Amino acid sequence: MAIRKAYVDLADGQMHYRYSVSPKGGTPLVFLHQTASSSAMYQAVMEKLDGAFTMYALDTPGFGSSFRPPRKPDVAYYVNAVVEAMKALGISRCHLFGHHTGAAIACQLAADFPGHVEKLGMIGPVQLTQADRDLWQKTAIHPMLYAASGEHLQWTWQRVTNLDSQPIQYPPSPALATREAIDTLIAGDRWHEAYEAVFGQDFPACFARVKAPILMVCGDGDVLYPYFEAAKKARPDAKAVELKAGAYVLDQDPSKMAEILREFFGA
């Protein structure tokens, strides 16, 4: 078996995805990426899990090789696109796993479409108060401005190498940072719309409505780690895993992440 790539047709365009079909069958595992990455961030962990699950890693609209949304999206737009893709792929029920922005989308999907989600997993649940969201809106949203000088290229490099908390504890390798920078440049002048969508979402309200069993993972160097304690308090029923890791743990320690996912989703 191997990780393959394909497209699925949706109403607004084609969604690109990676997939692997397991001969074991069972509930498929669907992955949603962070901003401004793509399904490439799940390649390494999918290789570790190949054969254990049928897996789909989606490029959400506006990222990777998927279509650009025809209008400014909110989290509900991303959720509906994922649900539409699942239906087109013949997935009636899945295990759902999201990272950062992907966690926000996954959480709302599990809350709004409980019949579609058997178990929910997240890296960096976005357990932000309204004051937190207002602050992130002011400080984290930087539309890409194309510059003849190439200044936007340097800005992109700085963004992808500073996703950990300060000081940088778990920096990406030059190769990993290059891949992430390219994904950001592909998303281009609309990359920030996903952040605007997340910071406009009431994640705690969605989180409270989730009925599925929950896995929460966060590295101690992740930029969202300061909110992890609040997430644990909000859902003491969830399985919480803290790691010595940053924002790129899926690439930097795919064996450990595969072990965590196999234990939770395979149980």
Side-chain angles (χ1 to χ4, degrees), residues 29-210:
L29 178 54
V30 175
F31 294 115
L32 303 176
H33 61 80
Q34 67 177 341
T35 302
S37 300
S38 69
S39 59
M41 69 176 289
Y42 287 106
Q43 178 74 27
V45 78
M46 289 176 75
E47 289 173 358
K48 297 292 183 182
L49 291 170
D50 195 20
F53 302 93
T54 291
M55 297 175 286
Y56 298 87
L58 309 179
D59 289 355
T60 48
F63 299 94
S65 296
S66 287
F67 68 93
R68 280 194 164 196
R71 58 187 182 279
K72 186 176 178 179
D74 55 12
V75 172
Y77 179 89
Y78 294 124
V79 167
N80 289 331
V82 173
V83 170
E84 186 182 357
M86 288 173 56
K87 182 177 180 180
L89 292 168
I91 304 170
S92 59
R93 188 169 173 83
C94 71
H95 298 314
L96 192 57
F97 187 86
H99 185 293
H100 285 201
T101 296
I105 298 168
C107 183
Q108 185 155 333
L109 196 158
D112 292 349
F113 299 91
H116 288 355
V117 180
E118 190 165 318
K119 292 183 180 180
L120 171 67
M122 297 176 286
I123 293 180
V126 196
Q127 187 72 2
L128 306 178
T129 65
Q130 183 61 57
D132 294 328
R133 296 199 299 273
D134 291 344
L135 179 61
W136 279 87
Q137 285 274 14
K138 294 176 182 177
T139 60
I141 295 175
H142 304 284
M144 185 182 297
L145 302 176
Y146 298 125
S149 64
E151 182 181 351
H152 61 292
L153 304 180
Q154 182 61 38
W155 173 86
T156 300
W157 184 263
Q158 292 300 319
R159 195 194 82 80
V160 302
T161 54
N162 284 274
L163 277 183
D164 288 350
S165 58
Q166 299 294 334
I168 301 303
Q169 297 172 267
Y170 309 97
S173 67
L176 174 54
T178 298
R179 187 198 76 196
E180 292 293 300
I182 290 171
D183 269 346
T184 302
L185 291 168
I186 288 172
D189 59 353
R190 294 183 62 187
W191 80 271
H192 64 287
E193 291 180 355
Y195 271 7
E196 290 182 330
V198 170
F199 301 143
Q201 176 200 37
D202 187 350
F203 181 93
C206 290
F207 198 28
R209 291 192 290 116
V210 173

